[in-house]
Amino acid sequence: MSEKITLPPLSYTGWGAMEHLPSELQRFNAKHILIVTDPFLHEIGLTANVIKPIEALHLSYEVYTDVVPEPPLAIGEKLVKFTKENQFDAVVGIGGGSALDLSKLAGVLSQHEGEVADYLNLTGTRQVAHKGLPTILIPTTSGTGSEVTNISVLALETTKDVVAHDALIADVAIVDPALTMSLPPKVTAATGADALTHAIEAYVSKFASPVSDALALQAIRLISSSIRTAVHQGDDKEARTKMSYGSYLAGLAFFNAGVAGVHGLAYPLGGQFHLAHGESNAVLLPYVMGYIRPSCERQMKDIYEAMGFSPSGMSQQEASKACVRELKRLVEDIQIPSTLQAFGIHKEAISSLTDDAILQTRILARSPLKLEWQDIFTIYSAAHEGQVVEKGEK
């Protein structure tokens, strides 16, 4: 069976990758540039990495900072309207996943009719028809992989939805680990856990391929060997570099193989309780993987080995169970709460969380174990109590 492999047109990675920004702006013949970022990054001067090269080229630009974590639909609508009204000819997004996702919307949907809501996956009635403005995406976190994917995630009233189309793939991704050095420990942990989840879910996905497997396993190796250091010793250049490359590879892996149950269950946590996406993934990761473990024992054994452990002499069952334990330990080591209770989520919310999660059919379809309503309820309950259970256990 053949597989479709999609990669971004051009990426610059590694220390000093930002030096390529001026030549890319010139290649697009950009004259009036929209810079999308969040207010904090602009306040601390990180956007100077984009502004100075633009000014050196004597180009005009505007900095747009109405960006929030887990951006709601209204934020996306506002940005697209602003982009349409100001006739930009290129978009540069710099920041975390929210800024990058919004930059994709600005670049593409500003060149389309209708509202952003018209293009949502679950409820939209319009289809993206063509490419938009030239777009350059520059991550300042090691986590979302948004710079190399074709989706933009938006928060709705109680859950999340996406705009997804290959037209949203950035023309250029610039992944420079130097931009992540000032990332606070809490954000480093959440975004790093997000990247690790991308790689793990891509590896066990029903739509995995030898190409996505190679990307996912290397991402797991890089992230699991560096995330603790990056969180607790943020000025460690080697750890930041590994995290940057790991996040990039994980993004490529899940873009091609997809994510599944962890993300499907994480979306309602963000929608109903406004948990950061990375924290939602982190708290659920060991419980989802523990529940579906019998359906992907071989892959879990491989993941265990990629995390730096030797499965020698262990059966697939033993190694896969050990992998789940290590995932739980990793989340605790980077100081993300390991139960839903610890986030202040009451048991009574589990039913409504399950109702919203079961609607994420696009994502859940990739799970190696089919997850029905009762399965999802059981996983949320396990995550609430902090007790890993697997399919069939009482």
Side-chain angles (χ1 to χ4, degrees):
M1 184 180 69
S2 64
E3 291 102 6
K4 176 187 175 184
I5 303 297
T6 306
L7 301 173
L10 177 64
S11 297
Y12 296 103
T13 61
W15 285 84
M18 281 295 294
E19 68 183 9
H20 297 283
L21 178 60
S23 62
E24 290 304 317
L25 291 171
Q26 290 176 312
R27 180 166 69 91
F28 295 127
N29 196 31
K31 303 298 182 185
H32 187 41
I33 300 161
L34 171 63
I35 302 171
V36 180
T37 190
D38 70 60
F40 176 72
L41 292 185
H42 191 47
E43 182 182 322
I44 66 174
L46 206 58
T47 48
N49 290 279
V50 172
I51 293 171
K52 287 180 179 178
I54 290 175
E55 290 180 337
L57 293 172
H58 305 291
L59 304 176
S60 68
Y61 66 90
E62 290 194 47
V63 179
Y64 187 94
T65 61
D66 193 0
V67 174
V68 297
E70 319 296 323
L73 176 61
I75 292 288
E77 299 281 14
K78 183 179 177 183
L79 173 57
V80 169
K81 183 174 185 289
F82 177 83
T83 310
K84 286 180 177 180
E85 291 172 349
N86 287 274
Q87 299 183 331
F88 296 100
D89 51 25
V91 179
V92 177
I94 178 169
S98 297
L100 303 190
D101 279 6
L102 289 171
S103 298
K104 296 180 202 178
L105 288 181
V108 174
L109 295 189
S110 66
Q111 308 304 301
H112 284 73
E113 295 181 352
E115 308 290 327
V116 175
D118 298 332
Y119 296 90
L120 290 174
N121 174 67
L122 294 178
T123 58
T125 57
R126 292 177 181 261
Q127 296 291 323
V128 174
H130 52 79
K131 283 287 289 181
L133 301 174
T135 302
I136 300 173
L137 298 183
I138 306 168
T140 59
T141 68
S142 296
T144 68
S146 181
E147 70 276 6
V148 294
T149 69
N150 70 347
I151 62 174
S152 179
V153 183
L154 295 166
L156 305 181
E157 188 173 344
T158 62
T159 187
K160 295 183 180 181
D161 201 356
V162 303
V163 178
H165 191 278
D166 281 355
L168 272 70
I169 301 172
D171 296 279
V172 181
I174 299 178
V175 186
D176 192 332
L179 299 179
T180 70
M181 291 295 286
S182 60
L183 206 61
K186 184 177 180 180
V187 182
T188 300
T191 56
D194 189 20
L196 182 61
T197 304
H198 291 155
I200 290 171
E201 291 214 279
Y203 193 66
V204 304
S205 168
K206 286 170 59 177
F207 302 108
S209 72
V211 175
S212 64
D213 284 351
L215 295 166
L217 285 176
Q218 181 63 1
I220 293 166
R221 292 185 192 104
L222 289 167
I223 296 167
S224 60
S225 66
S226 59
I227 188 170
R228 292 173 174 88
T229 303
V231 170
H232 298 296
Q233 301 170 43
D235 60 351
D236 189 296
K237 183 175 178 179
E238 181 182 3
R240 291 293 191 183
T241 300
K242 284 185 175 181
M243 288 298 298
S244 182
Y245 276 108
S247 171
Y248 174 76
L249 292 173
L252 293 175
F254 93 82
F255 178 31
N256 284 282
V259 289
V262 179
H263 277 72
L265 274 65
Y267 279 1
L269 290 179
Q272 292 190 29
F273 295 97
H274 308 293
L275 265 65
H277 179 62
E279 291 182 334
S280 298
N281 279 334
V283 69
L284 291 170
L285 181 60
Y287 303 104
V288 174
M289 299 312 297
Y291 190 81
I292 70 171
R293 183 202 60 78
S295 69
C296 52
E297 286 185 344
R298 176 190 60 79
Q299 294 96 322
M300 294 292 287
K301 182 179 181 180
D302 293 342
I303 292 168
Y304 182 63
E305 187 170 14
M307 291 177 69
F309 299 96
S310 174
S312 178
M314 301 174 74
S315 67
Q316 286 186 356
Q317 183 185 62
E318 291 168 338
S320 61
K321 287 187 174 183
C323 181
V324 174
R325 290 195 296 271
E326 290 304 326
L327 291 176
K328 196 167 189 293
R329 182 174 292 117
L330 185 149
V331 171
E332 292 167 351
D333 287 349
I334 60 176
Q335 298 179 343
I336 293 178
S338 58
T339 69
L340 296 183
Q341 281 191 82
F343 280 105
I345 296 172
H346 300 296
K347 197 169 184 177
E348 291 73 23
I350 292 176
S351 288
S352 65
L353 288 169
T354 305
D355 288 340
D356 283 344
I358 198 68
L359 299 177
Q360 297 293 334
T361 54
R362 177 184 65 91
I363 296 175
L364 296 176
R366 302 169 187 142
S367 175
L369 177 70
K370 186 176 182 180
L371 296 175
E372 306 282 6
W373 194 96
Q374 188 58 51
D375 299 308
I376 295 171
F377 184 90
T378 301
I379 294 169
Y380 276 134
S381 298
H384 185 267
E385 300 303 320
Q387 183 66 47
V388 175
V389 298
E390 61 186 54
K391 177 77 170 179
E393 281 189 342
K394 298 295 185 182

